[in-house]
Amino acid sequence: MVTPNPDFYNEIAANGGADVKMCFQCGTCTAGCPSGKETAYRTRKVMRMAQLGLKDELLNTDDIWQCTTCYTCEERCPRGVPIVDTILAIRNIAIQQGKMYDAHKKTANNLVKYGHTVDLNDKVKAMRASLGLPEVPPTVLANEKASADFAKILAKTGFDKLVE
Ligand code: SF4
Ligand code: SF4
């Protein structure tokens, strides 16, 4: 039994997806979505579910994590719907409820661990060395103060706890 949540639209709006009501379901977004070509993900369907307030169904589907944020859909949408912002808003709501796709959690944890989203393991270090690059890239990792400052920001915003 599907139970629409009339407050969900406002929740999405509060997280940046305010214009999702502008969608008139033409399907242009789905037609050009590269993720949809590889998976069962359908952008138009997510927009419709958001309009209808199908919160539980959306938060518990893998669909909201399939978007790569390439913005092809937004470039083509005839109604100017902020599709990516809407998907990100729904993801934010999901994360606040402790729901996060494993791959995204792993990437987020890299940010906590390394200061950026790319893993820096021994294999990557060896690959960098074989290319004549320093094993540690010149990011926050190579700067103790920047690394400490970044860790403080993650702790202050609660990001580290959120993705634990
Ligand atoms: S392209 Fe825009 S108007 Fe058309 S279905 Fe997608 S979001 Fe809705
Ligand atoms: S931004 Fe996301 S939903 Fe839009 S086309 Fe790219 S992968 Fe598909």
Side-chain angles (χ1 to χ4, degrees):
M1 175 88 176
V2 173
T3 312
N5 180 332
D7 292 330
F8 190 44
Y9 171 78
N10 293 329
E11 216 177 329
I12 292 172
N15 281 276
D19 291 338
V20 67
K21 278 188 177 167
M22 293 286 287
C23 170
F24 60 3
Q25 291 289 289
C26 68
T28 304
C29 50
T30 295
C33 175
S35 294
K37 285 189 177 69
E38 307 297 329
T39 68
Y41 168 57
R42 298 292 176 261
T43 318
R44 180 199 61 77
K45 184 179 168 193
V46 169
M47 294 303 108
R48 188 62 178 149
M49 289 172 80
Q51 288 177 324
L52 293 174
L54 302 182
K55 181 175 179 177
D56 290 343
E57 289 73 14
L58 266 179
L59 298 195
N60 288 302
T61 175
D62 286 350
D63 283 358
I64 57 171
W65 303 102
Q66 302 296 340
C67 169
T68 62
T69 66
C70 72
Y71 282 85
T72 303
C73 52
E74 276 202 33
E75 282 181 6
R76 297 178 180 178
C77 175
R79 298 287 280 170
V81 177
I83 300 168
V84 180
D85 285 346
T86 300
I87 293 167
L88 294 181
I90 297 168
R91 283 184 188 173
N92 285 342
I93 296 164
I95 291 167
Q96 285 155 26
Q97 295 195 3
K99 301 173 197 290
M100 194 174 190
Y101 209 46
D102 283 347
H104 288 71
K105 188 173 269 195
K106 191 176 171 208
T107 302
N109 274 301
N110 282 343
L111 199 59
V112 175
K113 202 167 164 187
Y114 304 114
H116 52 78
T117 53
V118 182
D119 195 351
L120 185 70
N121 53 34
D122 290 342
K123 191 176 162 196
V124 174
K125 283 182 182 172
M127 207 183 299
R128 288 182 61 84
S130 73
L131 293 169
L133 297 168
E135 280 192 350
V136 178
T139 62
V140 291
L141 271 181
N143 184 315
E144 215 170 289
K145 182 175 180 323
S147 188
D149 287 347
F150 189 65
K152 274 185 209 163
I153 291 169
L154 294 182
K156 191 90 176 166
T157 56
F159 185 90
D160 53 351
K161 295 275 177 291
L162 200 61
V163 301
E164 254 175 10

